[in-house]
């Protein structure tokens, strides 16, 4: 610890970095950033932009980059994006904004993304599933997994799915996104022997719209499916990558 | 009308029959029986035993037999069955109790069931769908339709369905019953070009159990599916038979 | 197949048309378009604009026109309409935008709409039902059915309905749209012997507003009614037209 | 007050009667009985048997008879009925148990029921509405109203209703009970110019069963309908009788 | 009828007026206006602006003025107000826009509002109840009732209510509006012996907000309360005025 | 610790007591009993009988008595009561079964209940609130609070409440139990300046029955009310007693 | 009273102040302001800006300052803020707008805020809880409590909470705010022996979003937690301060 | 195939076995048993006893043993257990009935359960979680996983969990069962870097009882948790074992 504090005194390590090192979290203006999350729970701390002011999001993103070399910001609108980017300028980090997924990822030069020898499949029923499926794919990639996308194979025309089945069977874990009646994950899980995570999407209208029917159907599925909440691409991506990590680790034994 | 009243006076026609003829309904102790329903709306009046006392059910069944030559009683428990049968003894009607479907059908000798040149398919996802699917089949048969049963083809193992597809494509209209996530009607409707009626079943437990997820999924289906309420076998059977009637009539033109 | 590929090589057939012919679907930038849907399931593939970006909608519409000679786009706002039209310019297709129904239909010169000898009635309770009823009517017409509109016959003033009853009895199948308490389909289905499809409308406010009460009432109806989801004019129109097709085919036997 | 206390001392007035006179309520073992309710709010205090032990119900009924000359007990099962009757023996009150309505009414010899020059109509859609409609009728009668019953006129067969319309138009206020889709009160309220109170009934199954669809429909009705809760026959009867009281009072002016 | 048609031919009576006279309704561009509603059901037909285009609202309002001498438009925004007023110019009708209640009322010179010898009390719990309470008051006045307003007597400070109790007891029927927990109607109905109609208001946030808790509480009330839907001021005002009419008629006997 | 282990070795302290002392919990057959809960969180660990077998309940109760000198078992039916009592025989504990509250309390001779100089008021709206109110009262007493009961003061007859107001104002904290519309806690909290905890009760039927309306109303209350779940007498009693503890401690400073 | 009226006549006391003194409330244009609330129920009357027009809010705020020397306005947007401030100018009151909490507090020079010898802890799980937590803190301070903030200690990283535990144990009462799964109040209440009030926050999306899951979890908590409605910072702050008052009063005995 | 048919002809292979071999499923009286499920989807077909008659359950169990050498029957009551055992007698299979989990497992002598080199942890919050946790454990074991149980570590006393943390970190995948507020899976997932599957349990009462709050909380969790439906131990166990299989396979590479 002495060494660390001397580095702080010398200006080589910022107070935020030092706090993160010692306490596991760093306290910025907008809150405590859980810098140790990836080490402790295997999942990088991300910043959900919804429900926070642009300034708060930017402050948390800055702390993230400062203490972990990376920031992941989800559900980020164009308006808040500008504020965040301006704030991140100071760190000379490379950033990519995944527009359809509404996720920003920024890396410092020093940051090295993990590389796993395991592949996550991200499957969608239709065009409307793009946003949460994209969020899941970004997260899984940031955690080091290989990611394969298989799009537009909804059950209303099951031949599209059957055509892709051999490709699906080669993957280590699948995330299957669907809105409306959300039947795709059930049909897929009945056809493959890899773990399948259902990702309900807030497409659909009227009774049980906004993804409720899809979620209900995944929870009631006759197959060995687990589910995440409606539009929770982050959660699906993170759990899939945890499974990929376990497989990667076992491969490495 | 004079003729009818003279027949009543002579004891050849019961007052109930005469009232049914004149007013369209017959007033018994337990209520007004809608004797003209089949003529007017194409669907025979049936007696839903739930929510009525055994005596009320028996009284309505007697009025049904007396005025239309037939009684159809749904959701009938063994206990009430005895009361009804005792009451129907006077009419020397033949009756059949469909135990798994919990439906009683009684016909007088004079009653002639319609015969339609059209076939209704009744499809189930699994064993738990037996009761409402059975109710639908009984009703469709009573309305004169040919009925084909295709059972246990749920989507968790889609090969079972694909094996039956050619048979399904030959039918005029399909009722597809499913509980849990209720995906079967959607998959079927995506594969055939006949009208499909979804019949959600109160199987399943936990969140959105008791058929809610199945109903939600059928309402949100990406296909041209209509739905009836959970366990509403009567309604599904009646509408399917109305469609069969329309087809039969067109064939006869 | 060789012939087709040679036509592609010669530029007489586009790659999208060829893929649609061979695989049943065509893969554009915005997704896989189910070009074989009408052949397989009797219902033309339509594009639901909700939840897609204007560019995605336009891309799918272009693929639709290219592979099937027609595009049907539902729930299309004025803003996205412009993008779609611009994209369709290349195909020299005729298009009609049904403003109250928010549906765009585009046909190439070569496209021939089917013609059925059967009529779908589209009935509304009041002015607020115009949008989903219009969507249903457009779809039924595109599938070839004759369509009759009977508007503003809600049950609060039942004489309006009784005046129209003879006209309703002449039709082959009825779609009955209603919001608020949604009683009209029940009353109609009690008076006619044709199949009736209930179409609940998201009119109404407060508890069970947004069409929930109407849907609930149609599901609980004492008549042989089937229902579609709230505002699901597309589904109602498609199933009605499938019934009309069945009747038309029987007439032609 | 002195006089009253002397009567208590002399044993001519029971302590309960005296407490009711002075405080407006009488405190028994099972709770405070609101003896002044009829004077204050126009509605006799009744005892809801649900959620109370038979002993508690009996104790409250005894206090009711002792302090007001009458007891009204609703939702009373056969089992608790025996306990109550045994307890009321001491008061030599006449009692009537309305079995289908599950209501017990007991009067002492001295009790005089009010007599109003106004009539409440109690209308039902079908046989399953008997219990709450009966509860409403008993309550309205106990408050002095004339009561007319018009049964089994549900909208699935609207001619039954139209036949009874002239009779309905002669009444001062209507309670209309219906389960399932609950459309009858709306249709009635569109045809008469008297106040109509909707009474939803817990008939029906599946989604929005147990009276929810009926309640929803009455709340969303396009007519000037008010509603009470599902099966709340007591409330409907009481409010109808308050309206009858107002009419009677105006007639007497 | 001949006379009427001659008047139409002579231009003294418009076709709409004549249709309303003969059929009970008048068919405009935007729908059938139920001109006979007040005669038949005692309640003037009003136009709910929600869910209609400004042009449709204006068209229906014009038909209303033309056939009944009056238009009542509820839930009317400033934007649509202009369109309606422009359209009504042709009729030289006087109009009043109740801004807080969002109701427009227009009368032709010839129109005579009924005058009832009976008073409706409109009571509110707080400032947020102004809109639906105002709608109820306007409707009751248009049906001829005297209206008394008693505002801001919510139960959080019960002394405000007790101060107004004598005034409330003098009225013939009460509408009591409340949001949040909606306890006021229950407390009032426990203290007066006139009929009380509960009007739940969409104030409140979080769980059971938007008036749901208020509605729930009114339906579960221990008193003889009836309820209308959340914010259904029109319905509450109409039923209260029907009760006032009944009282007025009895007074006149 | 050595001392403790020697006492175990000598048989003076049971292994369960020793585990509780060292780890804070004791592991029986039926689970880990949180013996340190009262020390740590101020609330004694109680055993909820619902969802456990009688044998499990008895085992946990035995561990409770063995390690803390007391057992509190809630929601205990007569059937399980016998099993528990039999098991507790070995400890020679005094026990009391509060029948209406369905709570068993057992104390060893050595156990000394805390005594607080602060009073909890437990107020009910009616007879049906007896069970959860009783559970709350038992718990508060076991935590040492003085308890005052004020019963049957529901708002339908507000004079009953006003009569008890002076008594209520003298107490340190109030629990107010009510079912149906649940308005009593709001009215009380508007009249006193002590903290009020709302306890919704599962009385009431139909829509929002089973305590939902009462809970909704307490959450939406315009006053400074907090709430516990429906029938959660334990929680209400525990929090009230924690407040009483805080007051008692401050008095003792 | 004479004295007061003379002061009014002399212009030393405004009519509003006099009415507040005599009746307990003051009647402005926008409603009756409950000026006696703090004296009677211990909680200052605050003005909830939601659902009121800016003019109404300003009018009520003016009455508040005039009659009690203070105004507290919650859920106040920037737009309405300007209107209120303009109106308050006349009173020369100091005001503070808590932007993140959206609360305005204004004091006249003469106003003296109470000072309690007791501390309320306001704890949050994350940045998104800032608004309701801030509202709670403002209210508690206005009622005189000392307030300590402990932010960003959500359970996803429990070490953040454990670090703050000693600080939390020193406080007299805790408000714990959390959205999403809302587990923090349960974990805290299991670790401290002070009363804990759960404040669910409308963060979170998808099923049970908008604070519903957080509320549900607090109501189902295994600990002695009470809860307020979603985002009801005012209520949580007020009840915590009432507990602080009780502790302060006991300390002063 | 010829060989197989000759074996059938010779009586060495039953028709059911042969059908299972050829079609993937075997058709018994009670339905089609999905004998190929384990091969195709990695999960053995199990028989859910709920919603089936004892005879149907027994028939399906017999087909299971006959075609796969094993039967797994879940949610099996004592009554149906006897019927099943009687039917299985013919196969001389060993069976074990897990009473608390209500699962029956029967193996023929020839059956060999898979053995995986990977461990599933099954964690519970309390005694009430025993049934679904037991079901999950049985299923995971039948799929070959090692299973470790860690019971009674609910968050109300977090020290119990912290004591078990090192043990939890050694496992390959965790199922965490909890009822009431269901916070345990979130807290665990924040502390370990293995995949965690939340299993909500139908413990708890009142609002959001029966496991709804637990499910809601798991879906809203801030951690990388997936969830299954309430009480869906089968699903949780199956997915956990699929993950264990993937890990085992990777270890074996």
């Amino acid at each position: 610890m002495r060494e660390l504090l001397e580095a702080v005194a010398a200006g080589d390590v910022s107070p935020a970095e030092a706090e993160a090192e010692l306490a596991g979290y760093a306290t910025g203006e907008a809150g405590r950033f859980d810098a140790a999350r990836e080490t402790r729970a295997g999942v990088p701390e991300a910043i959900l932009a919804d429900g926070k002011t642009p300034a708060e999001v930017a402050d948390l993103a800055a702390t993230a980059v400062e203490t972990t070399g990376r920031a992941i910001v989800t559900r980020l609108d164009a308006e808040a994006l500008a504020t965040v980017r301006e704030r991140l300028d100071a760190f000379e980090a490379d950033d990519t904004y995944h527009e359809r997924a509404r996720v920003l990822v920024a890396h410092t030069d020093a940051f090295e993304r993990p590389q796993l020898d395991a592949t996550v499949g991200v499957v969608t029923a239709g065009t409307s599933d793009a946003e949460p499926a994209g969020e899941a794919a970004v997260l899984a990639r940031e955690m080091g997994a290989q990611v394969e996308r298989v799009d537009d194979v909804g059950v209303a025309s099951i031949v599209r799915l059957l055509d892709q089945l051999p490709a699906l069977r080669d993957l280590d874990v699948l995330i299957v996104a669907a809105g409306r009646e959300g039947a795709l994950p059930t049909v897929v899980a009945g056809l493959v022997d890899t773990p399948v995570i259902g990702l309900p999407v807030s497409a659909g209208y009227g009774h049980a719209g906004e993804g409720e029917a899809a979620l209900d159907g995944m929870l009631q599925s006759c197959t060995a499916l687990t589910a995440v909440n409606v539009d929770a691409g982050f959660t699906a991506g993170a759990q899939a990558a945890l499974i990929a990590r376990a497989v990667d680790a076992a491969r490495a034994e």
Side-chain angles (χ1 to χ4, degrees), chain A:
Chain A
M1 186 195 283
R2 178 67 175 272
E3 216 170 326
L4 182 67
L5 295 175
E6 282 170 356
V8 173
D12 296 341
V13 167
S14 74
E17 284 175 274
E19 185 192 9
E21 188 82 16
L22 294 171
Y25 49 82
T27 313
E29 279 169 44
R32 276 177 240 269
F33 181 79
D34 184 5
R37 185 175 178 183
E38 190 154 19
T39 315
R40 190 184 68 244
V43 179
E45 180 74 345
I47 298 145
L48 174 68
D50 267 6
K52 303 194 178 75
T53 65
E56 288 170 348
V57 174
D59 184 66
L60 288 163
T63 308
V65 169
E66 190 178 356
T67 58
T68 67
R70 174 172 59 185
I72 303 172
V73 188
T74 62
R75 305 194 162 217
L76 185 67
D77 286 327
E79 187 194 337
L81 173 61
T83 310
V84 174
R85 278 190 159 149
E86 199 173 327
R87 181 72 184 272
L88 292 186
D89 267 2
F91 298 93
E92 298 184 4
D94 281 337
D95 73 56
T96 310
Y97 181 62
H98 302 264
E99 191 174 351
R100 196 67 170 87
R102 294 171 59 213
V103 179
L104 178 81
V105 177
H107 292 172
T108 58
D109 283 1
F111 180 81
E112 274 185 67
R113 201 162 70 179
Q115 293 290 343
L116 303 178
D117 177 17
T119 308
V120 171
V122 177
V123 183
T124 62
T127 309
S128 312
D129 306 320
E131 181 172 335
E135 190 180 295
V138 169
L139 210 279
R141 258 187 230 108
E142 286 302 309
M143 288 175 65
Q146 313 298 318
V147 173
E148 292 288 330
R149 290 291 296 260
V150 178
D151 287 312
D152 290 299
V153 295
V155 296
S157 168
I158 213 158
V159 68
R160 299 184 295 193
L161 172 63
L162 299 178
D163 285 1
Q164 304 293 330
L165 208 48
L168 293 177
R169 285 190 170 133
D170 283 350
L171 306 173
D172 292 296
V173 54
L174 298 178
I175 295 164
V176 184
R180 304 291 296 265
E181 83 285 5
L184 184 60
T186 288
V187 175
V188 170
L191 290 167
V192 303
D193 65 354
T194 40
V196 178
I197 297 166
L199 170 52
V201 177
S202 63
Y205 53 85
H207 179 70
E210 295 301 306
E212 287 285 335
L215 172 63
D216 293 354
M218 295 180 199
L219 291 172
Q220 288 287 348
S221 175
C222 302
T223 64
L225 200 63
T226 60
V228 296
N229 204 347
V230 176
D231 291 341
F234 176 89
T235 312
Q239 170 126 146
L242 286 179
I243 297 172
R245 268 173 46 131
V247 168
D248 170 83
R251 281 194 178 125
E253 276 173 20

